[in-house]
């Protein structure tokens, strides 16, 4: 009897250890940019759905910028991460901020939604057009988010301006840039429309978004610098601080990034979990309303997708 009880106890203990090992194997890291960014809000919403709906144990791990985040995904420290299409392209190909530092293990897991970006000013500012930025104090540099400098240059090019036409206010990242306007050291800052930090600043200092020029010549100048960028309209929504009417803004895709070694099974599980829980994702991050299952895989993206994504898309 004692022997049988011992055997049963041992079997239960072994089963528990096995279950623990399985649970630990399912833990995933979701890397993001710093708190207050669109990337962090996106990763937090995704991790919540991973935990509650996908049977995974996900942990959000914020970083100062893509120069830190993407190498950690490339090395396999994180299973997934949130970055925009330009950041991922430069990291994989070793260009721009990543010149000479290719990240060959990066793979795209999904094109999630359009990322609308703009220049923000105080609501009572005398800056009404991008042309009015000439001679003004504008956030620039972004040492921890180097790809943003390309986006900024394309935004200025839309108005026929260059970095030499503004007074650059050097900042490490977009969150620090928003704080520079708040403390009176900048006249305009760059940020994603709908970002948590813009809502925070707007609660203290009402903001206004500067519209992009939409004529063909202006768009051509912009895309000469940033081919993946395009113009889309930001509607006046409660979570879009600074947008009081439909406003044309600079737009590009925000991506879910992974590592080439992540299993096909995990990629498929995450993709199925995303498309089956769009409402839950949007509850945590409204921009997920822009998630189009038919656009998760785009042939035009110049960074390779994980093979499981291509297979998943072809079977839809």
């Amino acid at each position: 009897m004692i022997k049988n009880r011992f055997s049963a106890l041992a079997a239960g203990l072994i089963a528990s250890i096995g279950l623990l090992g399985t649970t630990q194997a399912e833990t995933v890291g979701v890397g993001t940019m710093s708190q207050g960014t669109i990337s962090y809000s996106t990763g937090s919403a995704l991790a919540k759905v991973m935990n509650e709906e996908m049977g995974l144990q996900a942990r959000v791990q914020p970083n100062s910028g893509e120069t830190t985040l993407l190498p950690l995904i490339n090395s396999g420290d994180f299973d997934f991460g949130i970055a925009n299409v330009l950041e991922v392209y430069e990291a994989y190909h070793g260009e721009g901020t990543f010149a000479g530092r290719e990240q060959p293990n990066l793979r795209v897991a999904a094109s999630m939604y359009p990322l609308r970006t703009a220049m923000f000013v105080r609501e009572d500012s005398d800056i009404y057009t991008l042309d009015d930025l000439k001679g003004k104090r504008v956030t620039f540099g972004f040492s921890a988010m180097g790809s943003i400098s390309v986006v900024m240059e394309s935004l200025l090019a839309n108005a026929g301006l260059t970095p030499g036409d503004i007074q650059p206010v050097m900042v490490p990242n977009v969150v620090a840039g928003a704080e520079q306007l708040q403390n009176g050291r900048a006249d305009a800052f760059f940020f994603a429309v709908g970002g948590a930090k813009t809502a925070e600043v707007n609660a203290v200092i009402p903001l206004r978004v500067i519209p992009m020029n939409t004529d063909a010549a202006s768009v051509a100048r912009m895309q000469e610098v940033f081919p993946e960028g395009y113009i889309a309209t930001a509607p006046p929504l409660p979570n879009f601080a600074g947008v009081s009417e439909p406003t044309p803004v600079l737009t590009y895709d925000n991506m879910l990034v992974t590592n080439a070694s992540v299993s096909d099974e995990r990629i498929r599980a995450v993709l199925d979990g995303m498309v089956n829980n769009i409402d839950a994702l949007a509850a945590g991050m409204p921009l997920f309303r822009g998630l189009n299952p038919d656009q998760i895989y785009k042939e035009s993206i110049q960074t390779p997708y994980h093979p499981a994504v291509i297979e998943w898309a072809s079977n839809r």
Side-chain angles (χ1 to χ4, degrees), residues 167-179:
Q167 295 184 45
V169 178
M170 307 304 286
V171 293
N173 54 48
V174 293
V175 171
E179 292 169 350

Side-chain angles (χ1 to χ4, degrees), residues 14 27 55 86 124 152 195 199-200 204-205 237 240 256 273 296 301 313:
I14 292 171
T27 301
L86 176 60
D124 59 1
M152 275 290 301
E200 178 186 319
V204 180
I205 302 173
L237 298 175
F240 281 6
L256 179 64
I296 280 178
I301 299 299

Side-chain angles (χ1 to χ4, degrees), residues 4 47 103 107 163 200:
N4 290 341
Q103 308 294 313
R107 296 294 184 271
E200 178 186 319

Side-chain angles (χ1 to χ4, degrees), residues 259-283:
N259 181 285
S261 65
V262 173
S263 71
D264 291 2
E265 180 182 10
R266 176 158 293 179
I267 295 294
R268 288 192 294 267
V270 170
L271 294 179
D272 286 338
M274 288 173 60
V275 300
N276 292 331
N277 294 281
I278 293 177
D279 288 344
L281 289 168

Side-chain angles (χ1 to χ4, degrees), residues 114-117 212 214 222 230-235 246-252:
L115 183 63
R116 301 178 180 92
T117 63
M212 298 291 290
T214 59
M222 178 191 81
Y230 55 97
I231 303 292
T233 299
T247 304
V249 295
L250 175 56
T251 307
Y252 45 99

